[in-house]
Amino acid sequence: MAKAGKQPNAAQGSARARLAEERRKAEQAARRNKMFGIAAGAVALLLVAVGVIIAIGMNRPQAPGGGGSTGYVAALQNVPAADLDAVGVGALPVTPAEPVPGGEVQMQDGKPRLLYIGAEYCSFCGYTRWPLTIALERFGDFSGLEAGQAPSNAGMIPTVSYRDATYTSDHLVFKGYELKDAQGNDIQTLTPEDETIARERGMQGYPWLYWGTHTSGTPFLQPFLQGGYMPGKSGDSIAEKLKDTSSPEAQAILGAANVTTAQICALTGDQPGDVCSAPGVVAAKAVLG
């Protein structure tokens, strides 16, 4: 009877063991599924994050800076006066600005004001900013100038952007606008006062400069358009050419900078004296008449 009584207990033990083993396997499978689920979720989140980053990168407006070194920006701000004097009016064949009938010098904070309106996609603006920046640096200092590239049919033109730049001077107030970025998107807006000036003075395209007494739509361009010295070149290579005052680049850019300087001297009452009496500027004054 004792032996017969033990058989059910052994069967029950075997059943309990099978159930425990099945329960263990089920728990292991659940843990694996949970881990796979967590891993799959993490991968999905990672893919979403990467997709967002890529989308942001694709839709972000291109920065004004181009590829390669941007050392030429500093070079533009530090052209030696002796090199400017050696060039004089250079290759510039025409007076760059047109008189405004009845125009008057704009004054702000007791100083004359020069207004520039351009766009980062504008090839003519790309050319113009070289001599304009060189000239303005003789009267004050830029901060926040950025390297840039403007498109043209012959290739990208290295230039600078006034988008985030500020200018300080004891002699002059300069306001530079870049209304559009490299893709043509709006990035800056004229003040109501400057919008009125542009409309009343007949602004028709970029770049546009307003001295109060003169306006200019596309100044300084003839030497560049005739020679094709800038499209497709690096900014550093062009800045290096400026050191050779007989080079076409120096003759065009530094010559235009001297004429621009002479135009600004007419606003400032020939101040500062050392700039406005420099030989290259005096030669440019003769062109202006």
Side-chain angles (χ1 to χ4, degrees):
M1 294 293 295
K3 184 175 180 180
K6 289 182 179 180
Q7 290 297 327
N9 290 338
Q12 290 175 1
S14 177
R16 283 196 296 270
R18 287 196 301 271
L19 288 174
E21 180 65 17
E22 291 174 359
R23 187 180 301 113
R24 184 182 66 80
K25 290 180 178 180
E27 289 174 352
Q28 286 180 341
R31 285 196 295 270
R32 283 196 301 269
N33 291 338
K34 184 178 181 180
M35 291 176 66
F36 288 147
I38 292 173
V43 170
L45 287 174
L46 179 60
L47 291 175
V48 170
V50 170
V52 170
I53 292 170
I54 292 173
I56 291 173
M58 293 177 65
N59 289 286
R60 180 184 295 136
Q62 292 180 8
S69 172
T70 59
Y72 70 92
V73 178
L76 274 180
Q77 298 177 265
N78 294 280
V79 174
D83 291 349
L84 288 157
D85 290 339
V87 170
V89 296
L92 193 72
V94 293
T95 302
E98 294 294 328
V100 173
E104 297 181 353
V105 176
Q106 283 191 301
M107 301 298 292
Q108 180 177 329
D109 300 327
K111 294 178 284 189
R113 182 176 187 255
L114 173 59
L115 171 66
Y116 165 93
I117 301 175
E120 291 179 351
Y121 72 78
C122 159
S123 59
F124 289 171
C125 303
Y127 293 124
T128 298
R129 294 189 204 98
W130 281 74
L132 180 59
T133 300
I134 293 170
L136 286 167
E137 281 288 342
R138 305 180 80 176
F139 296 86
D141 296 288
F142 274 108
S143 62
L145 276 180
E146 294 183 349
Q149 288 187 319
S152 77
N153 292 335
M156 299 301 289
I157 300 163
T159 186
V160 295
S161 172
Y162 297 141
R163 181 201 298 200
D164 298 316
T166 57
Y167 180 76
T168 56
S169 170
D170 293 333
H171 309 283
L172 176 74
V173 173
F174 172 74
K175 177 57 181 178
Y177 290 97
E178 306 290 359
L179 298 186
K180 306 283 186 178
D181 66 12
Q183 292 76 42
N185 302 310
D186 294 336
I187 52 174
Q188 287 186 318
T189 304
L190 297 176
T191 64
E193 294 79 9
D194 287 336
E195 186 175 5
T196 298
I197 290 171
R199 182 177 65 252
E200 292 182 349
R201 295 304 183 187
M203 174 185 164
Q204 295 182 347
Y206 310 126
W208 192 74
L209 288 100
Y210 181 68
W211 281 266
T213 57
H214 294 70
T215 64
S216 183
T218 53
F220 326 129
L221 299 180
Q222 204 140 342
F224 300 112
L225 297 178
Q226 289 174 343
Y229 305 118
M230 298 182 71
K233 306 296 193 303
S234 72
D236 285 352
S237 69
I238 296 170
E240 188 66 25
K241 291 284 188 180
L242 298 184
K243 298 176 182 179
D244 176 5
T245 56
S246 65
S247 71
E249 291 84 354
Q251 289 288 305
I253 295 172
L254 301 189
N258 276 328
V259 174
T260 307
T261 302
Q263 186 77 60
I264 296 173
C265 286
L267 296 183
T268 64
D270 283 334
Q271 294 300 317
D274 60 335
V275 170
C276 294
S277 63
V281 179
V282 171
K285 289 179 180 180
V287 173
L288 293 175

